Amino acid sequence: MFERDSILLEFRRLVLVPSLVAALTLIGCGGGDPEPTVAATTPAAPSATAATDGAAASDDGTDPVADDAAEPVVQMSVRELLSTASSSVAENRLISPPGNNAFHYYLQVLDQEPRNSGAQVAILELMPLAQGMTEQLIERRNYVDADEAVALLKRAQPSSVVLATLEQRAISYKRADDQRAQSVERARLAEEALVAAQASAPAVPTPAPAPPPRPAAAPDPVPAPPTQVASTEPVAPAAPPPAQENSNFELVTRVNPSYPTRALRQRKSGWVELEFTITATGDVRNVFVVDADPRRTFDRAATRALEAWKFKPRIENGRAVATTARQRLEFSLGN
């Protein structure tokens, strides 16, 4: 009896215990058939914050969708600005095009960091070259780009004497060009008026030819006079023809020379003696330097200024003629 009970207990241990362990393992691992999942098709309700923002936008009369679509303005960092400025210098874009040049980016750096040494040193080193480019724009009569360049450089150095000189030169060149254009326009209008007057004038009738003169009667023979000795008194000269209008040339437009940058920095003064030709139209041609002190310091500035002068030409016998003249231009910084 005891032996049979022991056999039954051993049988239960060997059969039931492994089955129970397997069942517990299956439950712990999530066994069994999985439940089917259903995808959510209902859109999520707007949050309270979004509803409040939408109500506020409706009250103000603005479109919240349009506000969300607007792209924010991206501001470059100082490192990006310095890198872009260096690239602009390498591509020779110091002062142009507007908004995409080295000085524009360096000034933006100083707007963010007024004491940024990299931008300050770069502006000081590039300023002479930028001033030379601005001077070339003025000489080529590109006044729009020249004005933008001067304004940009004055932001970097507001009290620069060189920039003030360049600005004054641009104004003088504009004034001289305007006066020259006005003179040409007045001459054109006068010529058109003369042609119109000649076209509308009545034709002058051709006079009838005069009848041939009758032959004069032969005069009676006159005895020959006695021989006389020639008089030693001089013959009185004939009356001179009436004098026609004569006048000397007169200065109409004067353009002051700009001070050379190097002489201005070195505080130099001097003068230039120039000889030139005033044409029959009053323009200045063939300018050359006769003498100067110091040599080759103010020659170029003086020549450029004199070439922009305008004269009333010399009149001889009622006609305009070319003439040669001299002029000394002084360069002084004052006391």
Side-chain angles (χ1 to χ4, degrees):
M1 182 69 179
F2 177 77
E3 184 179 358
R4 189 182 62 180
D5 292 338
S6 299
I7 294 172
L8 290 176
L9 289 175
E10 183 66 19
F11 175 79
R12 290 176 182 175
R13 184 179 67 82
L14 295 175
V15 175
L16 294 180
V17 172
S19 299
L20 181 61
V21 171
L24 291 176
T25 303
L26 182 63
I27 294 174
C29 295
D33 296 332
E35 295 182 0
T37 58
V38 181
T41 58
T42 305
S47 63
T49 304
T52 306
D53 294 341
S58 301
D59 294 340
D60 296 337
T62 58
D63 188 0
V65 177
D67 292 340
D68 294 340
E71 296 182 358
V73 178
V74 179
Q75 184 177 5
M76 299 175 66
S77 65
V78 171
R79 179 176 298 178
E80 292 172 337
L81 289 171
L82 291 174
S83 176
T84 307
S86 299
S87 301
S88 301
V89 173
E91 297 171 4
N92 202 26
R93 290 184 288 108
L94 297 187
I95 56 176
S96 63
N100 187 17
N101 57 74
F103 269 82
H104 172 77
Y105 295 122
Y106 283 132
L107 289 173
Q108 282 195 340
V109 171
L110 294 180
D111 289 340
Q112 297 186 31
E113 294 183 2
R115 296 185 178 181
N116 188 284
S117 59
Q120 292 175 346
V121 171
I123 287 176
L124 290 176
E125 292 179 348
L126 296 175
M127 182 61 71
L129 185 58
Q131 291 169 352
M133 291 182 174
T134 305
E135 183 178 2
Q136 293 176 0
L137 292 175
I138 296 174
E139 294 297 333
R140 293 197 297 264
R141 269 48 176 190
N142 190 351
Y143 298 125
V144 175
D145 292 345
D147 291 343
E148 292 179 354
V150 170
L152 181 66
L153 297 181
K154 288 185 70 174
R155 284 182 55 197
Q157 292 184 356
S159 60
S160 172
V161 178
V162 177
L163 293 178
T165 303
L166 290 176
E167 187 176 24
Q168 184 61 38
R169 180 187 297 181
I171 294 173
S172 301
Y173 277 32
K174 290 178 189 177
R175 187 181 298 115
D177 289 347
D178 291 342
Q179 292 176 351
R180 188 178 297 108
Q182 291 173 5
S183 299
V184 173
E185 181 66 15
R186 285 195 297 267
R188 185 186 66 82
L189 294 176
E191 183 177 359
E192 291 180 355
L194 180 60
V195 172
Q198 291 176 351
S200 61
V204 179
T206 304
R214 295 179 181 180
D220 296 335
V222 179
T227 304
Q228 296 181 355
V229 180
S231 174
T232 57
E233 295 181 0
V235 181
Q244 297 184 1
E245 181 182 1
N246 295 326
S247 63
N248 202 356
F249 60 84
E250 295 180 6
L251 179 62
V252 177
T253 302
R254 178 189 179 97
V255 177
N256 292 327
S258 58
Y259 223 95
T261 304
R262 181 175 298 178
L264 187 64
R265 291 177 178 173
Q266 297 175 357
R267 309 295 294 176
K268 284 187 177 181
S269 300
W271 54 267
V272 180
E273 184 83 17
L274 302 163
E275 185 170 306
F276 56 97
T277 300
I278 302 173
T279 65
T281 59
D283 296 323
V284 175
R285 295 289 184 271
N286 305 326
V287 180
F288 69 92
V289 176
V290 178
D291 195 6
D293 182 28
R295 296 277 186 178
R296 293 183 296 276
T297 300
F298 303 100
D299 297 8
R300 185 178 180 184
T303 302
R304 287 181 176 178
L306 191 59
E307 287 175 345
W309 287 20
K310 187 73 175 179
F311 288 86
K312 181 179 178 182
R314 179 183 179 87
I315 304 297
E316 291 184 1
N317 298 328
R319 297 179 59 186
V321 296
T323 185
T324 303
R326 283 197 177 192
Q327 179 69 37
R328 172 178 286 198
L329 296 181
E330 301 283 345
F331 292 79
S332 176
L333 294 175
N335 296 328

